[in-house]
Amino acid sequence: MAAIDKLPLMLMMMVILTIGFDLVSSDPDLLQDVCVADLTSAVKLNGYPCKENITAEDFFFAGLSKPGSTNNSMGSLVTGANVQKIPGLNTLGVSLSRIDYSPGGLNPPHTHPRATEVVFVLYGELDVGFITTANKLVSKSIKVGEIFVFPKGLVHFQKNNGESPAAVIAAFNSQLPGTQSIAATLFASTPTVPDNVLTKAFQVGTKEIEKIKGRLAPKM
């Protein structure tokens, strides 16, 4: 009960931390008060061009208020609150996401090439970790009200080994941190990575590679 009572304070700290990310943002600095993204523009640049007429809706998103469906092969779902969902985040260098996990659910090994990630546990317990470039695993079990940091660009994961659902709010110091799933990148790219590359890298036969590719191929 004490941990639950502290949740509002912890969430406030999470928001402050997210705003503080702007001081060390990996995105370009803004040169005006706001630059609401024009997501329909055909202009290609690093970020999004600004649209002229803005409203409060450009800065609002309710998508993190409810748990996402975890009825999938991984037992987890990431709901992003980035510039593609909140156009007002353009040039501000911050974003959030909510990650929900069913019992046994996994957010599989992945990286965010443009951002550091900080997760705050809403409920449940998770085993989390990242791997350094020296191939060292840094891992910990975290529970309600606790925070864990995943450094920018490093492979990391979260696993719910408990018997009840879990959820976190994740903060990023980028308006669009990007996500590169290790398994999907290697085995479900378009066009596909050649089998002779994967067989040599993983020291297995072609049959094993084709089996993995078949399981990870996008559903048509």
Side-chain angles (χ1 to χ4, degrees):
M1 181 64 70
I4 296 176
D5 291 340
K6 293 179 181 178
L7 280 178
L9 175 60
M10 296 299 293
L11 284 173
M12 184 181 299
M13 291 174 62
M14 192 74 171
V15 171
I16 294 172
L17 179 61
T18 304
I19 295 172
F21 263 163
D22 192 46
L23 299 175
V24 289
S25 171
S26 61
D27 294 346
D29 289 337
L30 67 164
L31 300 176
Q32 52 202 359
D33 289 345
V34 296
C35 176
V36 173
D38 184 352
L39 301 177
T40 64
S41 175
V43 176
K44 301 296 182 183
L45 45 77
N46 186 26
Y48 293 94
C50 312
K51 72 176 187 178
E52 186 172 350
N53 298 314
I54 67 174
T55 70
E57 294 303 308
D58 293 318
F59 301 87
F60 174 80
F61 181 63
L64 305 189
S65 61
K66 297 179 180 179
S69 173
T70 57
N71 185 25
N72 55 58
S73 60
M74 291 296 162
S76 69
L77 184 73
V78 179
T79 304
N82 53 48
V83 67
Q84 294 176 335
K85 301 287 183 65
I86 311 173
L89 287 177
N90 194 38
T91 73
L92 297 184
V94 294
S95 60
L96 295 173
S97 69
R98 174 181 175 138
I99 313 171
D100 291 283
Y101 316 80
S102 61
L106 170 70
N107 189 13
H110 62 281
T111 70
H112 301 295
R114 296 185 290 273
T116 291
E117 176 182 4
V118 180
V119 296
F120 169 80
V121 183
L122 293 174
Y123 53 83
E125 296 186 20
L126 296 167
D127 293 329
V128 303
F130 63 85
I131 300 94
T132 71
T133 56
N135 220 29
K136 178 181 179 181
L137 172 64
V138 179
S139 62
K140 190 172 180 62
S141 295
I142 57 176
K143 58 184 184 298
V144 176
E146 295 182 341
I147 287 172
F148 196 81
V149 178
F150 302 105
K152 177 181 177 179
L154 295 186
V155 176
H156 60 281
F157 61 88
Q158 303 105 33
K159 177 76 161 62
N160 179 7
N161 286 320
E163 298 181 355
S164 59
V168 303
I169 292 294
F172 304 91
N173 61 331
S174 172
Q175 66 181 36
L176 193 63
T179 300
Q180 193 165 34
S181 172
I182 305 304
T185 296
L186 292 174
F187 295 98
S189 64
T190 304
T192 60
V193 177
D195 284 356
N196 61 2
V197 172
L198 297 174
T199 55
K200 193 170 186 66
F202 289 95
Q203 297 293 291
V204 296
T206 302
K207 288 185 178 180
E208 287 85 353
I209 296 298
E210 290 301 322
K211 185 176 182 180
I212 297 172
K213 284 185 174 180
R215 290 182 174 179
L216 294 177
K219 300 297 186 294
M220 303 303 290

